[in-house]
Amino acid sequence: MSLARTERMLYAGCRLASICSGLIVLFIGFFLFKESLPLLLKINPMRFLNDPGWHPTEGQFGLFPMFAGSLLITVGAMIVAAPLGIILAVFCRFFAPRKIANAYQALLSVLSGIPSVVFGLWGLVVLAPIIRHVQPPGVSLLAGVLVLAVMILPTIALSANAAMTSVPFEYLQGAAALGFSKWQRVWGVAIPAARPGIVTGMILGAGRAIGETMVVLMVCGNVVQVPDSVFDPVRTLTANIALEMSYALSDHRAALFVSGLMLLFVVMGFVAISESIRAKVIEK
Amino acid sequence: MLCTGVAVGVGLFFFWLIGDIFLKGAPGITWEFLWDEPENAGRKGGIAPVLVSTAAILLVTLGTAVPIGFGTAVFLAEFSQGKTTLGRMVRRALDVLASVPSIIFGLFGNAVFSHWMGLGFSILSGGLTLACMVLPILIRTIEAGLRAVPLSTRLSAAALGLSRVAVLRDLIFPAAVPSLAAGLLLGLGRALSETAALIFTSGYVSRMPESLLDSGRSLSVHIYDLAMNVPGGDTHAYASAWVLIVLLFSINGLTALCLDHWGKTRMRGL
């Protein structure tokens, strides 16, 4: 009798805890929406893209430059980090001796644990002055792209490595038996076979890059503009929220929540794409 | 050749980055730095109040996240086995939660804890915000640990007529302790590295906090503020970054030890 009761209590407690943790994500969506709603009802949502400028206290809510900034930074970081990440994974899997490969993977996981504010500090103090020598002001789109690329490189390399490790050994053996060179085995067999895993890792990396705040806030200069060159400073959606949230009131505050909501949708889109790739692989 | 070249290049780059933080940070580490209040906006003095605030935020985070996360992990691993609708939905929600950017947690925490619940910019708001953020990683690790306990243990216990509560308390939890510790440490590391979610939930007051309702500046926010808003704050920003990295590396080392031990116990169980 009493045993059954303790068991029921345990079950109820655990069930309640899981309902709580499941609801958090819904709460996040709900509160973001609730805080955005006053402004969404007041103005035409297209104005967030079309307004000529970002002067939220004067009723101009053009988020387009920030949107462009976020997108450019993410695309740039992917262009730098994706090839490097794949090459590093190939190195660890096919070219390095076992011990060196293990040490390298350990180095990558150490790197993935370094907080973004430390990357930002390094970018601001070391990298930005170097870029300033080439072309002032130094804090720029390029600085953001490079630091973010370093930051997401471990994610991409480690997941590409995991994907290549799970390619069946028979594929590679078969290719070797057919007289493929090592290079052909890697680029012609291993990478195509591991493609879904590699792409999933890249999408994870892109999601991290677009949601990253501290690095872009510290090294990108935060000027509201669509950049003309990689040396121009930019402001991203995330940096915009971090810069203005502490003093924003009423419509201004709501506009920041709208940009948060936009960001959330983009990241959810990334998650949905990588999930559908994973689902397809499992189907096969 | 190409691969080796790139690997060496990237490796050197990484050592440059880590070496830069360690070399520029280490000279600033003295007892006074750890023990004193910051002076002149952090250019002089130490980081004592910052360390106290950081510890308080982490305590709030773990104090909230551990009971909820533990209950959820037990539910997912023991009661639902991933087959019930609720179990599936919760797992899905947690996967989505894990990918939400930290700045969104900041917005959420600001709207809910600071404004709606009226906690303002406080250690409590910051800690609760981080608790939401670390839940997925906490639950995932603990659940994996509980699941790693072999089925034969459960079946033998059931055959002996032990109740579920007794099985959990006396057999499964002891076997899963290392992974529980690993989950806790991973969550701790994640919370310690977070900055964006704290700027407008726990705020950046650098005085010694007197209660959980005071605003308190975490170590990561201190680094950000010194680097960005205080001209000439670089030296102390580096020293603070040194402290943060050493703390994180120790946590990671402990986690690795736990997971190593977990692997061994699992081997013995088989």
Side-chain angles (χ1 to χ4, degrees), chain B residues 58-221:
Chain B
L58 293 178
L59 274 179
V60 173
T61 302
L62 291 183
T64 327
V66 167
I68 298 179
F70 192 70
T72 310
V74 171
F75 181 79
L76 290 177
E78 303 296 325
F79 291 115
S80 99
Q81 267 96 32
K83 288 177 198 115
T84 61
T85 319
L86 179 64
R88 265 204 309 273
M89 277 166 62
V90 168
R91 188 159 300 133
R92 185 112 199 134
L94 287 172
D95 282 346
V96 176
L97 192 66
S99 61
V100 171
S102 56
I103 188 88
I104 304 279
F105 280 101
L107 281 177
F108 169 72
N110 182 272
V112 175
F113 302 124
S114 301
H115 283 92
W116 189 62
M117 285 171 65
L119 299 173
F121 281 13
S122 65
I123 288 172
L124 206 54
S125 304
L128 291 172
T129 308
L130 287 190
C132 301
M133 209 173 113
V134 300
L135 263 183
I137 193 165
L138 199 70
I139 294 171
R140 219 175 272 170
T141 324
I142 298 178
E143 193 198 340
L146 293 174
R147 276 174 190 278
V149 177
L151 188 64
S152 56
T153 310
R154 292 158 219 256
L155 292 180
S156 329
L160 290 172
L162 286 176
S163 76
R164 204 148 194 183
V165 179
V167 175
L168 269 175
R169 191 188 54 212
D170 299 332
L171 293 168
I172 297 180
F173 289 163
V177 160
S179 73
L180 306 185
L184 208 87
L185 289 167
L186 281 173
L188 196 66
R190 177 96 205 269
L192 196 56
S193 3
E194 186 46 47
T195 318
L198 289 177
I199 299 176
F200 36 83
T201 52
S202 67
Y204 28 85
V205 173
S206 60
R207 274 193 310 276
M208 186 64 88
E210 276 161 16
S211 81
L212 291 181
L213 288 172
D214 276 357
S215 166
R217 178 191 282 208
S218 82
L219 201 49
S220 51
V221 174

Side-chain angles (χ1 to χ4, degrees), chain A:
Chain A
M1 171 66 194
S2 74
L3 265 182
R5 212 173 126 209
T6 37
E7 186 166 334
R8 267 210 308 278
M9 271 167 61
L10 180 72
Y11 177 77
C14 292
R15 197 182 145 92
L16 185 70
S18 18
I19 293 173
C20 284
S21 22
L23 280 179
I24 291 176
V25 77
L26 293 183
F27 271 138
I28 291 181
F30 171 77
F31 269 94
L32 247 54
F33 190 68
K34 174 181 163 274
E35 299 283 328
S36 314
L37 201 60
L39 190 62
L40 286 174
L41 289 176
K42 201 152 107 187
I43 69 168
N44 179 357
M46 280 314 284
R47 279 189 49 199
F48 290 110
L49 293 178
N50 292 338
D51 267 5
W54 170 254
H55 304 287
T57 42
E58 290 149 34
Q60 288 199 318
F61 301 103
L63 283 168
F64 182 74
M66 279 75 112
F67 217 73
S70 283
L71 212 64
L72 287 171
I73 293 255
T74 306
V75 171
M78 290 310 291
I79 290 174
V80 178
L84 286 179
I86 294 171
I87 291 174
L88 287 185
V90 167
F91 168 78
C92 284
R93 181 82 186 86
F94 296 103
F95 291 95
R98 172 77 58 81
K99 271 189 181 157
I100 294 185
N102 285 344
Y104 210 90
Q105 282 172 38
L107 177 71
L108 287 176
S109 36
V110 165
L111 224 89
S112 66
I114 290 185
S116 55
V117 69
V118 174
F119 279 107
L121 175 66
W122 179 82
L124 184 67
V125 179
V126 178
L127 189 66
I130 295 176
I131 296 176
R132 184 160 58 224
H133 273 296
V134 183
Q135 171 95 47
V139 281
S140 57
L141 177 60
L142 181 65
V145 163
L146 292 178
V147 181
L148 265 189
V150 177
M151 222 180 109
I152 61 174
L153 188 55
T155 312
I156 297 179
L158 289 172
S159 57
N161 186 52
M164 279 187 223
T165 309
S166 63
V167 171
F169 185 60
E170 292 80 23
Y171 289 14
L172 300 169
Q173 215 171 23
L178 289 172
F180 281 32
S181 71
K182 191 167 197 181
W183 200 243
Q184 288 166 324
R185 287 200 302 267
V186 171
W187 299 108
V189 180
I191 290 187
R195 192 183 293 144
I198 297 176
V199 173
T200 314
M202 279 163 60
I203 295 170
L204 275 179
R208 237 187 114 187
I210 204 164
E212 173 50 40
T213 310
M214 297 322 292
V215 166
V216 291
L217 179 62
M218 290 169 86
V219 305
C220 291
N222 300 322
V223 178
V224 184
Q225 62 176 3
V226 180
D228 291 325
S229 84
V230 289
F231 296 106
D232 281 347
V234 289
R235 186 188 283 197
T236 64
L237 284 174
T238 51
N240 189 43
I241 297 172
L243 282 168
E244 300 185 356
M245 191 59 205
S246 50
Y247 63 86
L249 295 167
S250 63
D251 280 357
H252 184 185
R253 188 176 144 88
L256 294 178
F257 275 91
V258 171
S259 61
L261 208 54
M262 277 153 97
L263 191 68
L264 191 62
F265 279 132
V266 174
V267 174
M268 294 298 108
F270 282 153
V271 175
I273 295 170
S274 71
E275 291 267 310
S276 72
I277 294 174
R278 206 174 296 159
K280 250 185 226 156
V281 173
I282 291 170
E283 251 173 51
K284 272 186 198 163

Side-chain angles (χ1 to χ4, degrees), chain B residues 219-270:
Chain B
L219 201 49
S220 51
V221 174
H222 189 57
I223 298 170
Y224 160 69
D225 193 60
L226 282 180
M228 279 291 278
N229 304 333
V230 181
D234 285 359
T235 348
H236 277 192
Y238 265 104
S240 312
W242 191 93
V243 174
L244 181 62
I245 298 249
V246 167
L247 283 174
L248 280 171
F249 281 6
S250 326
I251 290 174
N252 287 350
L254 280 176
T255 317
L257 270 182
C258 290
L259 291 177
D260 206 35
H261 181 79
W262 175 25
K264 275 187 200 128
T265 41
R266 205 163 40 158
M267 294 290 214
R268 266 208 300 275
L270 282 174

